[in-house]
Amino acid sequence: MKIGLLGFGVVGRGVYEIAASQKNMQVTKVLCLENISLPDAEPVKDFAEILNDPEIDTVVEAMGGLHPSHEFAVAALKAGKNYVTSNKALVCTYYEELVPLAEEMGVKLRCTAAVGGGIGWLSELERSRRAQTINQVGGIMNGTCNYILDHMTRFGMGYDQALKQAQSLGYAEANPATDVEGIDTWHKVILSANVAFGITLDKESVPVAGIAGIQAQDVANFAAHGLVCKLMSAAKRTETGFDVYVQPQLVPQGDPEAAVPLNYNLITFLGQTSDRMSFYGQGAGRYPTAYNVVEDLIDVAAGKGFYAPYGPKVTALNSETMAYYVRGGWDGETREHWGDAVVTMPVSVARMHAWRKDHPDAFIAGLSE
């Protein structure tokens, strides 16, 4: 396998190093805008040098972002090259284009590292859905948010202090909006649902609420009631369709999710036969993520492509009901007061997220019953 590597940052360098230890696998060209020197690969600054190289049969993208990643992916697939990526935003956003295109061109597309970093989450969904119906997927999918919430809960930090510490350790970007507003998790749960259920979700029907508005007083309220806040994703098969959403969720202190520390992830699926299966590990980092990219390369070499057939377009209904903790402006039915916040009577996920759109400064968190 001859590989063209796009990007030589944290993940790209890890892929290069791990691939060097594999038999029958060689990174021959690396697209990098900085001046680098490599002993066994040619650095290039023009993607065309990789695209037009007939010896390169597989492209690995470790750049992130939508552009030019999207253009590179389409060009590589149309040129008959396999494509492996860790870019969840790319695959989620262009799912309807990339999955059928790879099949049409007779090449392989894989993206295991896009969800869960070093956890083999999508590849396990692939195996599991062959023998059973998957009824639910979700959990803690973002290490940055988990680190912030963990430190607010265990060490009494304020949100800003916990965020700054996460940034200093490299767990959060200088502009953390994609993580703390839930967009990263949104991409991951949509991709996971597509694979688990064999569908193509309408992304705009999947609501998302992040943790940016959480305050120390909220965490104190939760602790007083034996609860812990986590940013959770959920995708559930129902009798009438699918419920898919991302939001802060309050879980009892004894639940497995409540104990997940630092930047770790805990992702779960419920299968018709297997029941609950959970996967725990680092959701980011050079070598955990790069390891899964190389695992995908090994699968591609063995002829394994995308995890599930391209499925029909589906709109998430979000008719599931639950009580919510709300701080800021709730004018609906209220069950009880927790300090300056309220706990609502059960309302549908769709209704609560529609209300929050009109009250963007409010903080909400679902209560697990």
Side-chain angles (χ1 to χ4, degrees):
M1 174 182 282
K2 301 292 186 181
I3 300 165
L5 176 60
L6 311 182
F8 205 65
V10 172
V11 175
R13 184 180 291 271
V15 171
Y16 171 78
E17 293 176 4
I18 298 174
S21 67
Q22 302 296 309
K23 294 181 179 179
N24 303 319
M25 185 181 298
Q26 181 187 2
V27 176
T28 60
K29 290 183 178 178
V30 177
L31 179 67
C32 182
L33 298 182
E34 298 178 359
N35 293 321
I36 59 173
S37 178
L38 300 171
D40 55 357
E42 178 187 354
V44 300
K45 296 185 178 181
D46 186 351
F47 173 63
E49 295 192 47
I50 290 174
L51 184 67
N52 298 324
D53 186 334
E55 292 191 352
I56 292 177
D57 53 73
T58 302
V59 173
V60 172
E61 184 258 307
M63 301 185 305
L66 291 180
H67 305 286
S69 298
H70 171 238
E71 291 77 11
F72 289 172
V74 171
L77 292 172
K78 287 184 175 180
K81 299 182 189 295
N82 303 309
Y83 204 80
V84 174
T85 179
S86 59
N87 189 338
K88 85 283 295 184
L90 170 72
V91 182
C92 175
T93 302
Y94 295 104
Y95 190 88
E96 298 169 82
E97 177 184 15
L98 298 180
V99 176
L101 178 59
E103 183 176 358
E104 175 188 345
M105 299 306 301
V107 294
K108 308 304 179 187
L109 169 69
R110 288 187 74 84
C111 56
T112 300
V115 185
I119 304 171
W121 166 248
L122 292 181
S123 56
E124 187 56 33
L125 279 184
E126 172 188 38
R127 292 182 69 249
S128 183
R129 71 184 301 275
R130 295 179 305 185
Q132 65 175 337
T133 297
I134 305 296
N135 291 319
Q136 183 174 331
V137 297
I140 299 169
M141 293 181 167
N142 183 275
T144 299
C145 290
N146 199 69
Y147 184 93
I148 293 169
L149 294 172
D150 177 56
H151 276 58
M152 292 182 72
T153 300
R154 288 199 293 148
F155 304 114
M157 290 185 178
Y159 173 81
D160 290 340
Q161 182 185 6
L163 172 58
K164 287 179 181 177
Q165 185 161 315
Q167 289 170 324
S168 71
L169 294 171
Y171 296 149
E173 301 289 343
N175 180 356
T178 298
D179 290 314
V180 300
E181 297 294 348
I183 303 305
D184 176 80
T185 304
W186 181 75
H187 285 135
K188 291 173 179 177
V189 74
I190 291 170
L191 181 53
S192 298
N194 286 347
V195 172
F197 305 141
I199 60 176
T200 303
L201 272 169
D202 176 0
K203 299 182 294 297
E204 301 307 315
S205 70
V206 178
V208 54
I211 67 165
I214 194 170
Q215 297 179 2
Q217 69 186 61
D218 299 316
V219 176
N221 282 338
F222 306 152
H225 291 83
L227 300 169
V228 175
C229 184
K230 296 290 185 178
L231 183 67
M232 301 286 285
S233 61
K236 304 176 183 182
R237 187 191 300 271
T238 72
E239 293 182 359
T240 55
F242 298 92
D243 290 341
V244 189
Y245 54 89
V246 175
Q247 64 186 21
Q249 195 80 15
L250 304 183
V251 297
Q253 290 176 350
D255 280 12
E257 285 79 7
V260 176
L262 304 174
N263 66 324
Y264 280 75
N265 288 184
L266 179 62
I267 315 176
T268 296
F269 72 75
L270 295 180
Q272 190 173 36
T273 304
S274 68
D275 200 44
R276 176 176 175 136
M277 298 286 286
S278 294
F279 301 81
Y280 174 82
Q282 292 194 55
R286 169 174 292 168
Y287 294 113
T289 305
Y291 155 80
N292 254 337
V293 173
V294 175
E295 286 281 7
D296 274 351
L297 290 170
I298 295 170
D299 281 338
V300 166
K304 294 177 67 175
F306 202 74
Y307 317 88
Y310 176 71
K313 191 71 169 285
V314 170
T315 298
L317 302 177
N318 297 316
S319 56
E320 179 184 0
T321 62
M322 67 182 75
Y324 278 87
Y325 173 95
V326 180
R327 177 177 45 74
W330 175 251
D331 54 2
E333 291 185 273
T334 297
R335 190 171 76 189
E336 56 187 307
H337 290 264
W338 291 6
D340 294 335
V342 301
V343 174
T344 73
M345 294 296 289
V347 299
S348 72
V349 171
R351 179 188 169 193
M352 177 54 70
H353 281 264
W355 176 87
R356 184 179 174 272
K357 279 189 175 181
D358 295 329
H359 300 80
D361 294 331
F363 177 78
I364 67 168
L367 271 75
S368 300
E369 299 295 342

XYZ file of all heavy atoms in Angstrom, residues 256-332:
590
model
N -22.123 4.684 35.441
C -20.793 4.643 34.824
C -20.389 5.969 34.189
O -19.234 6.392 34.296
C -20.940 3.536 33.767
C -22.029 2.664 34.267
C -22.989 3.581 34.975
N -21.346 6.649 33.531
C -21.017 7.913 32.869
C -20.558 8.970 33.876
O -19.705 9.802 33.565
C -22.219 8.428 32.090
C -22.510 7.681 30.791
C -23.217 6.364 30.997
O -23.624 6.065 32.155
O -23.379 5.604 30.017
N -21.113 8.938 35.083
C -20.776 9.944 36.088
C -19.319 9.863 36.507
O -18.717 10.855 36.921
C -21.679 9.791 37.308
N -18.724 8.679 36.407
C -17.359 8.463 36.878
C -16.294 8.688 35.807
O -15.104 8.574 36.088
C -17.223 7.046 37.442
N -16.699 9.018 34.580
C -15.711 9.183 33.504
C -14.884 10.440 33.766
O -15.427 11.541 33.822
C -16.402 9.272 32.127
C -15.386 9.533 31.025
C -17.177 7.993 31.845
N -13.551 10.312 33.928
C -12.733 11.462 34.314
C -12.051 12.120 33.120
O -12.025 11.582 32.002
C -11.674 10.819 35.214
C -11.427 9.491 34.544
C -12.780 9.065 33.966
N -11.488 13.289 33.371
C -10.560 13.956 32.457
C -11.131 14.040 31.042
O -12.267 14.410 30.843
C -9.207 13.238 32.501
C -8.575 13.132 33.910
C -7.319 12.278 33.877
C -8.294 14.505 34.470
N -10.296 13.695 30.049
C -10.713 13.832 28.652
C -11.169 12.509 28.048
O -11.148 12.331 26.835
C -9.560 14.397 27.816
C -8.381 13.433 27.738
O -8.075 12.736 28.697
N -7.703 13.407 26.607
N -11.610 11.589 28.890
C -11.995 10.268 28.393
C -13.414 10.286 27.825
O -14.221 11.156 28.135
C -11.883 9.227 29.505
C -10.461 8.762 29.722
C -9.537 9.577 30.371
C -10.030 7.526 29.260
C -8.226 9.164 30.561
C -8.718 7.099 29.442
C -7.829 7.932 30.090
O -6.530 7.522 30.260
N -13.679 9.290 26.984
C -15.000 9.072 26.399
C -15.575 7.755 26.919
O -14.825 6.824 27.230
C -14.925 8.967 24.876
C -14.645 10.285 24.170
O -14.633 10.336 22.948
N -14.394 11.353 24.908
N -16.890 7.682 26.982
C -17.591 6.425 27.255
C -18.791 6.380 26.322
O -19.743 7.137 26.477
C -18.045 6.341 28.715
C -18.811 5.060 29.100
C -17.935 3.830 28.917
C -19.324 5.149 30.536
N -18.705 5.499 25.324
C -19.721 5.431 24.277
C -20.391 4.062 24.339
O -19.723 3.042 24.532
C -19.109 5.668 22.881
C -18.135 6.856 22.900
C -20.200 5.911 21.860
C -17.424 7.080 21.587
N -21.696 4.041 24.157
C -22.469 2.817 24.384
C -23.436 2.554 23.242
O -23.960 3.485 22.638
C -23.271 2.948 25.699
O -22.361 3.066 26.797
C -24.193 1.763 25.927
N -23.637 1.266 22.945
C -24.782 0.916 22.105
C -25.603 -0.142 22.813
O -25.097 -0.909 23.638
C -24.379 0.474 20.692
C -23.713 -0.877 20.578
C -24.442 -2.051 20.689
C -22.354 -0.974 20.305
C -23.835 -3.297 20.557
C -21.734 -2.206 20.173
C -22.483 -3.375 20.303
N -26.892 -0.148 22.519
C -27.804 -1.164 23.020
C -28.247 -2.008 21.838
O -28.878 -1.512 20.905
C -29.024 -0.533 23.695
C -28.775 0.275 24.974
C -30.094 0.835 25.510
C -28.116 -0.586 26.037
N -27.906 -3.275 21.875
C -28.279 -4.185 20.803
C -29.422 -5.078 21.214
O -29.618 -5.372 22.402
N -30.182 -5.527 20.239
C -31.343 -6.369 20.514
C -30.934 -7.663 21.214
O -31.659 -8.173 22.066
C -32.058 -6.685 19.196
C -33.401 -7.354 19.345
C -34.116 -7.477 18.008
O -33.483 -7.702 16.976
N -35.425 -7.314 18.010
N -29.761 -8.181 20.868
C -29.274 -9.426 21.470
C -28.235 -9.170 22.550
O -28.296 -9.745 23.635
C -28.652 -10.330 20.382
O -29.615 -10.564 19.360
C -28.204 -11.657 20.975
N -27.289 -8.285 22.278
C -26.173 -8.056 23.207
C -26.539 -7.189 24.399
O -25.844 -7.188 25.408
C -25.015 -7.399 22.463
O -25.357 -6.073 22.062
N -27.635 -6.431 24.301
C -28.003 -5.410 25.279
C -26.885 -4.358 25.333
O -26.333 -3.997 24.307
C -28.287 -6.026 26.645
C -29.117 -5.093 27.522
O -30.096 -4.504 27.023
O -28.783 -4.936 28.702
N -26.509 -3.875 26.516
C -25.574 -2.752 26.622
C -24.140 -3.206 26.382
O -23.646 -4.150 26.989
C -25.680 -2.096 27.997
C -24.653 -0.976 28.191
C -24.829 -0.258 29.517
N -23.747 0.712 29.698
C -23.902 1.953 30.137
N -25.104 2.396 30.458
N -22.874 2.759 30.275
N -23.460 -2.471 25.486
C -22.024 -2.655 25.245
C -21.396 -1.269 25.284
O -21.798 -0.376 24.522
C -21.777 -3.304 23.886
C -22.367 -4.696 23.753
S -21.450 -5.957 24.666
C -20.012 -6.125 23.612
N -20.427 -1.072 26.172
C -19.824 0.250 26.352
C -18.334 0.211 26.024
O -17.651 -0.796 26.281
C -20.021 0.744 27.792
O -21.387 0.977 28.058
N -17.837 1.346 25.511
C -16.454 1.456 25.057
C -15.834 2.695 25.692
O -16.353 3.802 25.540
C -16.415 1.531 23.528
C -17.036 0.339 22.876
C -18.418 0.241 22.741
C -16.263 -0.719 22.445
C -19.008 -0.872 22.186
C -16.839 -1.837 21.873
C -18.210 -1.915 21.739
N -14.731 2.483 26.391
C -14.118 3.527 27.204
C -12.679 3.737 26.747
O -11.952 2.781 26.495
C -14.134 3.088 28.667
C -13.403 3.982 29.639
C -14.007 5.127 30.143
C -12.118 3.666 30.066
C -13.346 5.941 31.064
C -11.450 4.466 30.981
C -12.063 5.601 31.479
O -11.411 6.406 32.372
N -12.277 4.984 26.622
C -10.887 5.247 26.252
C -10.685 6.717 25.927
O -11.601 7.546 26.072
N -9.479 7.043 25.508
C -9.159 8.420 25.178
C -9.813 8.801 23.856
O -9.672 8.103 22.859
C -7.647 8.611 25.102
C -6.958 8.487 26.448
C -5.544 9.006 26.415
O -5.303 10.148 26.039
N -4.614 8.166 26.815
N -10.492 9.932 23.889
C -11.217 10.378 22.707
C -10.407 11.229 21.769
O -10.909 11.696 20.752
N -9.143 11.464 22.095
C -8.286 12.300 21.253
C -6.837 11.975 21.584
O -6.541 11.119 22.410
C -8.584 13.779 21.505
N -5.929 12.677 20.903
C -4.505 12.454 21.145
C -3.827 11.868 19.919
O -4.451 11.182 19.112
N -2.526 12.143 19.796
C -1.782 11.722 18.600
C -1.856 10.222 18.373
O -2.348 9.751 17.339
C -0.328 12.160 18.713
C 0.578 11.511 17.631
C 1.979 12.060 17.661
N 1.976 13.446 17.230
C 3.025 14.259 17.368
N 4.124 13.826 17.919
N 2.946 15.507 16.944
N -1.364 9.443 19.306
C -1.221 8.021 19.039
C -2.526 7.243 19.132
O -2.750 6.339 18.310
C -0.131 7.428 19.939
C 1.231 7.996 19.598
C 1.911 8.801 20.488
C 1.815 7.763 18.351
C 3.144 9.345 20.176
C 3.041 8.306 18.017
C 3.712 9.096 18.932
O 4.919 9.643 18.601
N -3.437 7.551 20.082
C -4.725 6.847 20.045
C -5.471 7.056 18.729
O -5.989 6.098 18.137
C -5.486 7.463 21.229
C -4.430 7.897 22.176
C -3.315 8.396 21.287
N -5.524 8.301 18.249
C -6.239 8.590 17.000
C -5.514 7.998 15.805
O -6.125 7.364 14.928
C -6.412 10.103 16.827
O -7.064 10.642 17.982
C -7.247 10.421 15.594
N -4.196 8.186 15.755
C -3.419 7.666 14.632
C -3.482 6.144 14.564
O -3.502 5.552 13.476
C -1.972 8.129 14.743
N -3.537 5.512 15.717
C -3.658 4.049 15.760
C -4.904 3.584 15.009
O -4.862 2.625 14.237
C -3.705 3.597 17.218
C -4.397 2.271 17.452
C -3.739 1.064 17.226
C -5.727 2.224 17.882
C -4.381 -0.147 17.429
C -6.374 1.023 18.081
C -5.698 -0.162 17.863
O -6.331 -1.358 18.050
N -6.032 4.275 15.231
C -7.261 3.877 14.553
C -7.209 4.169 13.060
O -7.827 3.468 12.259
C -8.473 4.573 15.193
C -9.300 3.613 16.030
O -9.259 2.410 15.815
N -10.045 4.140 16.967
N -6.499 5.227 12.666
C -6.304 5.488 11.232
C -5.547 4.328 10.591
O -5.916 3.838 9.512
C -5.561 6.816 11.015
C -5.211 6.991 9.534
C -6.410 7.997 11.491
N -4.499 3.880 11.239
C -3.709 2.772 10.680
C -4.520 1.477 10.691
O -4.420 0.669 9.760
C -2.377 2.613 11.443
C -1.614 1.385 10.959
C -1.516 3.863 11.259
N -5.345 1.265 11.710
C -6.244 0.104 11.695
C -7.149 0.151 10.469
O -7.412 -0.882 9.831
C -7.090 0.082 12.974
C -6.341 -0.336 14.222
C -6.157 -1.840 14.321
O -6.498 -2.560 13.364
O -5.659 -2.295 15.364
N -7.634 1.346 10.128
C -8.451 1.496 8.919
C -7.651 1.156 7.667
O -8.174 0.545 6.725
C -8.993 2.925 8.816
C -10.298 3.120 9.580
O -10.871 2.117 10.051
O -10.744 4.270 9.698
N -6.403 1.568 7.635
C -5.560 1.252 6.477
C -5.387 -0.259 6.320
O -5.416 -0.784 5.199
C -4.190 1.927 6.622
C -4.199 3.456 6.489
C -2.840 4.025 6.891
C -4.541 3.878 5.066
N -5.238 -0.954 7.436
C -5.122 -2.409 7.385
C -6.425 -3.022 6.862
O -6.412 -3.960 6.055
C -4.757 -2.968 8.776
C -3.358 -2.491 9.183
C -4.826 -4.491 8.787
C -3.005 -2.789 10.630
N -7.557 -2.475 7.306
C -8.850 -2.955 6.808
C -9.009 -2.695 5.316
O -9.522 -3.534 4.573
C -9.997 -2.280 7.574
C -10.230 -2.906 8.942
O -9.830 -4.068 9.139
O -10.807 -2.231 9.816
N -8.599 -1.513 4.875
C -8.678 -1.188 3.446
C -7.841 -2.167 2.629
O -8.270 -2.660 1.575
C -8.231 0.269 3.202
C -7.979 0.516 1.713
C -9.278 1.240 3.729
N -6.645 -2.471 3.126
C -5.777 -3.421 2.424
C -6.429 -4.804 2.340
O -6.173 -5.563 1.401
C -4.431 -3.518 3.127
N -7.291 -5.101 3.334
C -7.988 -6.390 3.341
C -9.309 -6.333 2.565
O -10.052 -7.319 2.536
C -8.256 -6.827 4.781
N -9.608 -5.182 1.966
C -10.807 -5.051 1.143
C -12.052 -4.597 1.867
O -13.158 -4.696 1.330
N -11.909 -4.063 3.093
C -13.071 -3.614 3.861
C -13.267 -2.114 3.684
O -12.373 -1.325 3.980
C -12.886 -3.946 5.346
C -12.875 -5.434 5.641
C -12.621 -5.710 7.114
C -13.772 -5.224 7.970
N -13.581 -5.594 9.406
N -14.458 -1.747 3.221
C -14.771 -0.346 3.017
C -15.675 0.195 4.096
O -15.546 -0.167 5.270
N -16.632 1.047 3.708
C -17.470 1.729 4.689
C -18.299 0.727 5.483
O -18.547 -0.387 5.046
C -18.380 2.763 4.004
C -18.861 3.829 4.939
C -18.004 4.819 5.372
C -20.158 3.824 5.420
C -18.431 5.803 6.251
C -20.602 4.797 6.296
C -19.728 5.796 6.716
N -18.769 1.152 6.649
C -19.314 0.264 7.666
C -20.731 -0.201 7.401
O -21.152 -1.235 7.905
C -19.277 0.988 9.025
C -17.986 1.723 9.249
C -17.818 3.026 8.810
C -16.909 1.088 9.850
C -16.616 3.686 8.977
C -15.706 1.740 10.027
C -15.561 3.036 9.586
O -14.363 3.687 9.748
N -21.509 0.587 6.673
C -22.921 0.268 6.488
C -23.358 0.734 5.110
O -22.807 1.695 4.571
C -23.767 0.950 7.566
N -24.336 0.060 4.538
C -24.847 0.530 3.252
C -25.395 1.945 3.377
O -25.904 2.333 4.428
C -25.972 -0.468 2.932
C -25.706 -1.650 3.808
C -25.040 -1.129 5.031
N -25.302 2.689 2.304
C -25.894 4.021 2.275
C -27.396 3.877 2.417
O -28.039 3.140 1.671
C -25.533 4.710 0.957
C -26.174 6.069 0.782
C -25.750 7.147 1.538
C -27.198 6.260 -0.137
C -26.319 8.392 1.381
C -27.779 7.494 -0.305
C -27.332 8.561 0.461
O -27.917 9.800 0.315
N -27.994 4.567 3.400
C -29.398 4.363 3.724
C -30.286 5.540 3.362
O -29.817 6.595 2.938
N -31.592 5.382 3.569
C -32.555 6.423 3.195
C -32.439 7.651 4.091
O -31.997 7.578 5.236
C -33.906 5.733 3.402
C -33.627 4.675 4.428
C -32.244 4.198 4.152
N -32.865 8.805 3.568
C -32.863 10.055 4.315
C -33.947 10.002 5.393
O -35.085 9.639 5.115
C -33.117 11.225 3.364
C -32.890 12.610 3.969
C -31.409 12.865 4.199
C -31.124 14.317 4.540
N -31.198 15.213 3.378
N -33.552 10.344 6.627
C -34.455 10.241 7.769
C -34.420 11.542 8.565
O -33.353 12.123 8.779
C -34.053 9.051 8.671
C -34.822 9.081 9.987
C -34.299 7.727 7.953
N -35.594 11.985 9.016
C -35.698 13.145 9.892
C -35.860 12.680 11.333
O -36.713 11.828 11.618
C -36.903 14.013 9.504
O -36.725 14.499 8.175
C -37.061 15.195 10.444
N -35.036 13.211 12.240
C -35.176 12.875 13.659
C -36.450 13.512 14.215
O -36.727 14.691 13.973
C -33.955 13.364 14.433
N -37.237 12.731 14.964
C -38.521 13.199 15.469
C -38.400 13.850 16.847
O -39.079 14.828 17.147
C -39.511 12.031 15.546
C -39.781 11.303 14.228
C -40.721 10.133 14.453
C -40.361 12.266 13.202
N -37.559 13.270 17.711
C -37.299 13.804 19.053
C -38.580 13.987 19.870
O -38.811 15.019 20.499
C -36.521 15.117 18.960
C -35.152 14.900 18.332
O -34.465 13.949 18.684
N -34.785 15.736 17.390
N -39.389 12.933 19.860
C -40.634 12.941 20.633
C -40.436 12.429 22.055
O -41.371 12.477 22.865
C -41.683 12.081 19.925
O -41.190 10.763 19.724
N -39.231 11.944 22.376
C -38.945 11.475 23.732
C -39.199 12.598 24.738
O -38.876 13.763 24.479
C -37.488 11.023 23.833
C -37.074 10.547 25.216
C -35.598 10.198 25.310
O -34.889 10.333 24.287
O -35.158 9.799 26.399
N -39.792 12.254 25.890
C -40.061 13.258 26.917
C -39.205 13.019 28.148
O -38.873 11.872 28.480
C -41.540 13.251 27.335
O -41.865 11.978 27.898
C -42.439 13.531 26.139
N -38.853 14.095 28.826
C -38.103 14.024 30.081
C -38.243 15.357 30.797
O -38.614 16.379 30.193
C -36.622 13.727 29.814
C -35.867 14.843 29.096
S -34.137 14.409 28.761
C -34.348 13.269 27.386
N -37.947 15.350 32.094
C -37.867 16.595 32.841
C -36.533 17.264 32.535
O -35.545 16.593 32.205
C -37.996 16.323 34.336
N -36.508 18.575 32.638
C -35.287 19.340 32.383
C -34.981 20.274 33.551
O -35.895 20.852 34.158
C -35.427 20.192 31.115
C -35.177 19.456 29.838
C -36.208 18.777 29.199
C -33.913 19.443 29.236
C -35.995 18.108 27.999
C -33.688 18.776 28.047
C -34.730 18.113 27.434
O -34.511 17.443 26.252
N -33.692 20.406 33.833
C -33.192 21.478 34.685
C -33.009 22.694 33.784
O -32.343 22.591 32.735
C -31.860 21.056 35.291
C -31.119 22.125 36.066
C -31.248 22.237 37.447
C -30.247 23.006 35.426
C -30.545 23.204 38.163
C -29.551 23.976 36.122
C -29.698 24.065 37.498
O -29.001 25.021 38.202
N -33.613 23.816 34.158
C -33.522 25.026 33.336
C -33.186 26.217 34.234
O -33.869 26.466 35.233
C -34.843 25.317 32.587
C -34.697 26.588 31.741
C -35.250 24.139 31.714
N -32.155 26.948 33.873
C -31.856 28.214 34.535
C -31.950 29.314 33.488
O -31.162 29.375 32.562
C -30.459 28.200 35.164
C -30.074 29.530 35.818
C -28.730 29.474 36.503
N -27.719 28.822 35.710
C -27.113 29.343 34.642
N -27.445 30.543 34.219
N -26.190 28.655 33.991
N -32.998 30.159 33.642
C -33.117 31.281 32.729
C -34.378 31.322 31.892
O -34.359 30.867 30.749
N -35.471 31.837 32.473
C -36.607 32.227 31.655
C -37.662 31.203 31.370
O -38.572 31.461 30.574
N -37.609 30.016 31.980
C -38.611 28.993 31.666
C -40.003 29.463 32.097
O -40.205 29.908 33.223
C -38.269 27.685 32.363
C -39.300 26.611 32.187
C -40.160 26.122 33.126
C -39.594 25.896 30.978
N -40.965 25.143 32.596
C -40.647 24.986 31.276
C -39.077 25.934 29.683
C -41.175 24.119 30.318
C -39.610 25.067 28.734
C -40.650 24.179 29.051
N -40.969 29.361 31.178
C -42.328 29.815 31.460
C -43.358 28.706 31.312
O -44.562 28.952 31.265
C -42.691 30.988 30.544
C -42.482 30.650 29.062
O -42.093 29.500 28.764
O -42.689 31.535 28.212
N -42.863 27.463 31.260
C -43.772 26.327 31.149
C -44.066 25.721 32.512
O -43.787 26.307 33.563
